[in-house]
Amino acid sequence: MIRAVLWDVDGTLAETERDGHLVAFNQAFEALGLPWRWSAREYGGLLAITGGRERLLYDLERRPNGPVDAESRAQLAARAHYLKNEAYADLVSRGGIPLRDGVVELFDECAMGRIPMAIVTTTSERNVDALLRVHLGAAWRSAFVTVIAAEQAPVKKPDPQAYRTALTAIGRLPSEVIAVEDSPAGVAAARAMSIPVIVTRSHYFADADVPGALAVGSSLGQRAGWVPALQGTDEGPVTLNDFSAWHALRSQRPEPTVSGWTLRGVR
Ligand code: XBP
Ligand code: MG
């Protein structure tokens, strides 16, 4: 039985990378008078580096027209990242990025079935707040038992810190929960904690390898095309029952060993 659903944010709840962070990064470059812009294609490659500031720093270190010393690069990355987040919050607060199909239906099902939900993301709390406030209202936090963002888990996915922190916060074992992710780094982070993961493909990770995922499909709003295939009708969105059916398959999968971690607070 599933006792909690752990939600990734960027790419999973909404197409925030392509339509939000990328746009906002380029606005920040412009505001700082920097001569470069990231193309959508370039940004797709840079997503291999998780964390917006870390991504920026990685790019600056390789850019011939970037600052030459490490201190200046770090300062520029911090400033540009701050401005990016201002622009991002502004963009999403105006409702510029919808939640992906099927997400709200699953939120509602979890609420009705009293299945706790958590947010487990590499982005900041402020960015999560900007996105969810506009779609779920000012009281959006009450829909989640915990919100684990960059402030609570500064070591970014694929490191399992965010998932480890979430399991501890909700007091559940990995086998009792299910994670929903879109990226290889997110899947790796959850799998490193032996958490079963469902992958809803996003724009930038449409063809990426996601080893160890329990189920993979193009959208939670669409029942057709999932692997493993869903039972019953092709009409309507993916449901909590479908999550449970996939979750039941997890015992057929080999689990990686989680070393050096114990779940505190579980009876
Ligand atoms: C994806 C990320 C984030 C965002 C940008 O997070 O890697 O870094 O690209 O956010 P998720 P910040 O775990 O939700 O998929 O600039 O706040 O880092
Ligand atoms: Mg993601």
Side-chain angles (χ1 to χ4, degrees):
M1 186 182 168
I2 298 174
R3 295 190 180 273
V5 178
L6 313 186
W7 290 95
D8 169 52
V9 174
D10 292 310
T12 296
L13 295 186
E15 279 289 1
T16 42
E17 296 292 9
R18 181 191 62 195
D19 304 335
H21 293 294
L22 170 60
V23 176
F25 269 119
N26 282 332
Q27 286 175 1
F29 299 154
E30 189 175 354
L32 288 168
L34 298 171
W36 62 80
R37 307 287 178 267
W38 283 340
S39 68
R41 193 188 166 82
E42 224 177 334
Y43 190 66
L46 287 168
L47 284 178
I49 314 298
T50 53
R53 195 184 51 80
E54 293 84 346
R55 188 171 303 141
L56 200 45
L57 206 49
Y58 175 90
D59 184 66
L60 287 177
E61 281 161 2
R62 282 151 190 82
R63 191 166 279 283
N65 54 350
V68 286
D69 66 290
E71 173 76 20
S72 308
R73 282 197 297 270
Q75 278 175 10
L76 182 57
R79 180 78 189 130
H81 189 235
Y82 175 83
L83 290 177
K84 183 279 282 184
N85 284 335
E86 298 260 284
Y88 175 85
D90 186 53
L91 203 158
V92 297
S93 301
R94 286 186 275 110
I97 306 181
L99 294 183
R100 292 186 64 192
D101 290 347
V103 166
V104 166
E105 288 87 340
L106 279 160
F107 282 179
D108 289 345
E109 263 204 89
C110 285
M112 281 186 304
R114 296 186 190 283
I115 306 294
M117 298 194 296
I119 293 287
V120 185
T121 178
T122 278
T123 197
S124 63
E125 263 189 287
R126 183 187 174 205
N127 287 347
V128 180
D129 179 65
L131 179 72
L132 293 185
R133 183 175 287 265
V134 72
H135 294 298
L136 305 181
W140 69 268
R141 273 172 190 278
S142 60
F144 300 93
V145 279
T146 190
V147 175
I148 306 300
E151 292 84 349
Q152 293 74 29
V155 189
K156 310 281 158 75
K157 300 172 188 175
D159 190 279
Q161 188 185 59
Y163 279 106
R164 186 188 302 123
T165 310
L167 287 175
T168 303
I170 63 179
R172 288 292 170 201
L173 293 165
S175 59
E176 295 177 318
V177 309
I178 201 156
V180 191
E181 278 282 357
D182 71 305
S183 71
V187 172
R191 294 304 296 142
M193 292 308 299
S194 297
I195 294 172
V197 195
I198 289 169
V199 174
T200 174
R201 294 289 195 186
S202 61
H203 174 76
Y204 279 120
F205 299 111
D207 302 313
D209 274 348
V210 281
L214 198 53
V216 182
S218 59
S219 165
L220 293 170
Q222 185 182 305
R223 301 178 59 76
W226 281 83
V227 179
L230 288 170
Q231 299 300 305
T233 176
D234 268 357
E235 297 300 309
V238 174
T239 66
L240 215 41
N241 265 343
D242 299 322
F243 275 23
S244 294
W246 283 325
H247 192 249
L249 299 175
R250 75 194 183 285
S251 50
Q252 297 166 16
R253 303 287 178 91
E255 289 297 337
T257 312
V258 183
S259 58
W261 180 78
T262 52
L263 183 61
R264 289 190 298 273
V266 163
R267 296 159 300 277

